[in-house]
Amino acid sequence: MRDIPVGVQFLQTVTDKSCPNFSCNRQLWYRTSVLVLTYIAYTCYHLSRKPLSVAKAVLHPNCTNTSRHDCSSWIPFNGTDADAAEVFGELDSAFLFSYAIAMFASGFIAERFNLRYFLSLGMLLSGIFSYLFGLAKVYNIHNVMYFLLVQVAAGICQTTGWPGVIAVLGNWCGKSKRGLTFGIWNSHTSVGNILGSLIAASFVETDWSLSFIYPGLIIALGGFLMFLFLVVSPTDVGCYLPDEDRNNATSTHQRKFNRSLQNQVANRDSSSESDSEVDDTDIIIGEQDFLISAYTSSCDFEVQRRNTERVHLLRDYVAPQHEVAIGFFGACKIPGVIEFSLSLFFSKLVSYTFLYWLPLYLNHSTSMGATDSADFSILFDVGGIIGSILAGSISDYTNMSATTCTGMLILAIPMMGMYQILGSTSLGVNIFLLLIVGLLVNGPYTLITTAVSADLGTHSSLEGNAKALATVAAIIDGTGSIGAAVGPLLAGFLNVYGWEAVFYMLMVSDVLALLFLIRLVKHEVIKCRQTRRLARIE
């Protein structure tokens, strides 16, 4: 076994001693643990991004709200509403632009570094910089450069999250039902936003520093959990690769493996003093099949350790070692990467503008205070959870991911306009429209960043090279993150002209997002018609 996490080794030892006859489906248990751990990891990442959007209403309070007794602003967020909005926009952009730029480098590093260490270190550093933002209140820091530098450093550290978790998940999950699986799994984005809002809102009006300190502590503890238990690859613990990847590897490398075994037998026979002429190649190949089967179904870790040398002998079958990490331009040549990246630029722009500005919008457009507006904004993320699952299910059923995204983007445009016009008329209308907007805005965004990225990262043109997954995920999410940086920045400037201007910008962005998918939609429709025509012929 190579690089088994300390926590997993401890559990193996405890199981061996306390339950020597315990048996289970190891493949299922490890895959489930990876799904749960990566879910927790990215929930923590998003949880730690949320506090600033919640704290804005306290750092520069809405003084027209008579329910607030203290209307003083925290320097440097004082001044007029326009001045404060500009500073908030700069802080958002400092985080998001550094995140977007560093994301491209992060993908290359992730492919060449142990992903468990990569994620653990990134989560620890992200927690430290969230903690440092909160310390500004404790030590009475008012220098805007301090806040900007903390945001830049936090953005860089947060880039360890997405390439890391998507690459680990790609190692364990095949393509079957990938859209639905990733749709459910990707609810971590909305769950993280919800938890971040609730935690930050619990302290924002009493001590806003704790709104940053506690999320920082949580993500740091999450990083320690990854270090203890995250198994990066099935081959690290003697398990199968996902069915599709394993079958592809088998068809490509089985002949090479058999030749290697035959050479080993020939060399051993030539050096042996025995006169036996029995050819035991078939016996060795049979041992190969038996060991792989045993490793998949057995939890007897002592047996695993005794057979370590044999497993390494079979490594070329289970996980070929010749794969080379793909370059940036090689990943861009994969069909669909450019189109989906540019579409995500605009769809993520819309999603992150809501993420960073919705609590402040609710605070200004309604009579809600800072805590209530933060709590109410989670409805957007609740809709996002439903949208993620719905988009993934539709994509799996139709096998038309670009068409699924386009349909939801088309519906999102008028719904955002309706929310801006009618949202403030009553609480019930606001709740209903916010849920629908969250569903339609986050559905395409999450589908592209998860299932589509994983599909393109294991595209048939790569001939089974799984090393492209982190790079493709980084390119797509990095491009989207540039849009995520631009959106809140534009919102900060356009807010001077009223919230109507912000919503017009969001609707135009969705139009551009769907335009970049037109060519792919056309290709999917043609392919669907051909498939139906062949089905009728058969």
Side-chain angles (χ1 to χ4, degrees):
M1 302 298 105
R2 62 178 187 180
D3 192 38
I4 300 179
V6 176
V8 174
Q9 293 184 37
F10 173 76
L11 293 178
Q12 291 176 354
T13 303
V14 171
T15 303
D16 288 344
K17 292 182 178 180
S18 61
C19 304
N21 297 322
F22 177 71
S23 62
C24 64
N25 186 327
R26 298 180 60 254
Q27 188 83 15
L28 178 62
W29 275 100
Y30 278 121
R31 181 181 292 142
T32 302
S33 73
V34 168
L35 284 168
V36 172
L37 287 171
T38 53
Y39 188 97
I40 292 173
Y42 216 68
T43 296
C44 291
Y45 275 103
H46 261 266
L47 179 150
S48 65
R49 297 176 191 176
K50 193 65 178 177
L52 180 57
S53 66
V54 175
K56 286 176 181 177
V58 168
L59 295 173
H60 182 80
N62 177 18
C63 294
T64 60
N65 189 344
T66 56
S67 64
R68 283 197 58 88
H69 300 290
D70 180 14
C71 212
S72 60
S73 300
W74 183 267
I75 301 173
F77 308 105
N78 56 339
T80 65
D81 289 348
D83 293 335
E86 185 175 340
V87 176
F88 287 140
E90 290 173 355
L91 289 183
D92 292 340
S93 297
F95 175 91
L96 292 168
F97 274 114
S98 63
Y99 179 91
I101 295 170
M103 177 62 74
F104 294 99
S106 184
F108 297 117
I109 297 172
E111 288 182 353
R112 295 159 175 84
F113 198 69
N114 185 296
L115 291 173
R116 180 163 60 91
Y117 302 148
F118 186 71
L119 279 170
S120 301
L121 181 61
M123 294 177 75
L124 176 62
L125 292 174
S126 296
I128 289 173
F129 287 110
S130 178
Y131 178 81
L132 288 175
F133 198 107
L135 283 185
K137 184 177 189 299
V138 177
Y139 290 101
N140 206 30
I141 299 173
H142 298 280
N143 192 325
V144 69
M145 284 303 300
Y146 173 84
F147 293 101
L148 287 172
L149 290 174
V150 168
Q151 286 289 85
V152 168
I156 294 172
C157 294
Q158 288 263 338
T159 61
T160 57
W162 192 247
V165 296
I166 201 69
V168 171
L169 202 62
N171 289 339
W172 283 93
C173 296
K175 294 183 179 180
S176 177
K177 300 294 182 183
R178 179 174 276 178
L180 177 59
T181 301
F182 279 7
I184 297 173
W185 175 80
N186 201 57
S187 63
H188 55 54
T189 299
S190 297
V191 171
N193 292 339
I194 292 170
L195 292 176
S197 297
L198 294 176
I199 293 171
S202 300
F203 307 102
V204 68
E205 293 192 288
T206 56
D207 185 355
W208 62 261
S209 67
L210 297 179
S211 297
F212 294 87
I213 291 173
Y214 279 116
L217 178 62
I218 291 171
I219 190 174
L221 291 175
F224 184 61
L225 188 67
M226 298 306 114
F227 176 78
L228 289 179
F229 295 105
L230 183 63
V231 179
V232 171
S233 173
T235 59
D236 290 345
V237 288
C239 290
Y240 278 127
L241 292 169
D243 291 340
E244 293 83 358
D245 297 333
R246 178 165 53 84
N247 292 337
N248 186 41
T250 301
S251 61
T252 307
H253 301 284
Q254 183 70 56
R255 192 176 305 167
K256 174 184 175 182
F257 176 76
N258 288 339
R259 284 200 303 268
S260 176
L261 285 178
Q262 290 168 356
N263 291 336
Q264 292 176 36
V265 172
N267 292 336
R268 188 179 65 185
D269 289 346
S270 63
S271 62
S272 174
E273 295 180 3
S274 171
D275 294 334
S276 173
E277 296 181 356
V278 177
D279 183 3
D280 58 354
T281 302
D282 292 337
I283 297 175
I284 296 176
I285 295 176
E287 290 177 357
Q288 160 203 331
D289 296 332
F290 172 76
L291 281 172
I292 293 175
S293 176
Y295 263 68
T296 304
S297 60
S298 174
C299 278
D300 190 339
F301 300 111
E302 185 61 34
V303 171
Q304 296 175 23
R305 286 190 284 270
R306 288 198 301 265
N307 288 295
T308 296
E309 292 184 3
R310 175 68 69 177
V311 172
H312 284 296
L313 202 75
L314 304 178
R315 187 72 71 186
D316 281 341
Y317 171 74
V318 180
Q321 296 295 303
H322 76 284
E323 291 181 350
V324 178
I326 193 171
F328 176 85
F329 294 104
C332 289
K333 292 178 182 178
I334 299 172
V337 168
I338 298 298
E339 290 91 338
F340 277 115
S341 296
L342 294 174
S343 178
L344 186 64
F345 176 95
F346 291 102
S347 58
K348 199 168 182 178
L349 180 155
V350 176
S351 180
Y352 268 64
T353 302
F354 273 100
L355 174 68
Y356 280 88
W357 286 90
L358 182 58
L360 189 63
Y361 171 72
L362 291 170
N363 181 250
H364 281 75
S365 63
T366 67
S367 60
M368 297 181 191
T371 300
D372 292 337
S373 61
D375 291 341
F376 196 83
S377 69
I378 69 175
L379 291 173
F380 178 80
D381 296 298
V382 173
I385 295 174
I386 301 171
S388 299
I389 298 172
L390 182 63
S393 301
I394 295 173
S395 177
D396 278 340
Y397 180 76
T398 61
N399 199 27
M400 301 170 70
S401 54
T403 306
T404 302
C405 292
T406 301
M408 299 184 81
L409 289 169
I410 290 173
L411 294 174
I413 297 168
M415 292 306 300
M416 284 190 289
M418 290 179 62
Y419 178 71
Q420 196 275 321
I421 296 171
L422 303 176
S424 58
T425 57
S426 71
L427 183 63
V429 172
N430 200 324
I431 292 173
F432 174 76
L433 291 177
L434 191 55
L435 285 170
I436 299 300
V437 170
L439 184 154
L440 295 173
V441 167
N442 286 326
Y445 152 52
T446 55
L447 182 62
I448 294 174
T449 54
T450 52
V452 170
S453 294
D455 286 342
L456 294 176
T458 55
H459 195 270
S460 57
S461 64
L462 298 171
E463 298 179 350
N465 182 2
K467 283 287 188 178
L469 189 52
T471 298
V472 170
I475 291 173
I476 293 177
D477 196 54
T479 306
S481 297
I482 297 174
V486 172
L489 179 63
L490 289 177
F493 290 117
L494 293 175
N495 187 43
V496 178
Y497 304 100
W499 289 103
E500 296 86 355
V502 175
F503 276 88
Y504 284 134
M505 180 267 291
L506 297 178
M507 289 186 281
V508 170
S509 297
D510 259 3
V511 171
L512 295 173
L514 68 89
L515 288 177
F516 281 109
L517 296 178
I518 294 298
R519 190 184 71 85
L520 296 178
V521 170
K522 180 180 178 181
H523 176 74
E524 288 180 349
V525 171
I526 293 173
K527 185 178 179 180
C528 181
R529 289 177 177 174
Q530 291 174 344
T531 303
R532 290 181 179 178
R533 195 175 297 120
L534 290 173
R536 285 197 296 267
I537 294 174
E538 294 176 356

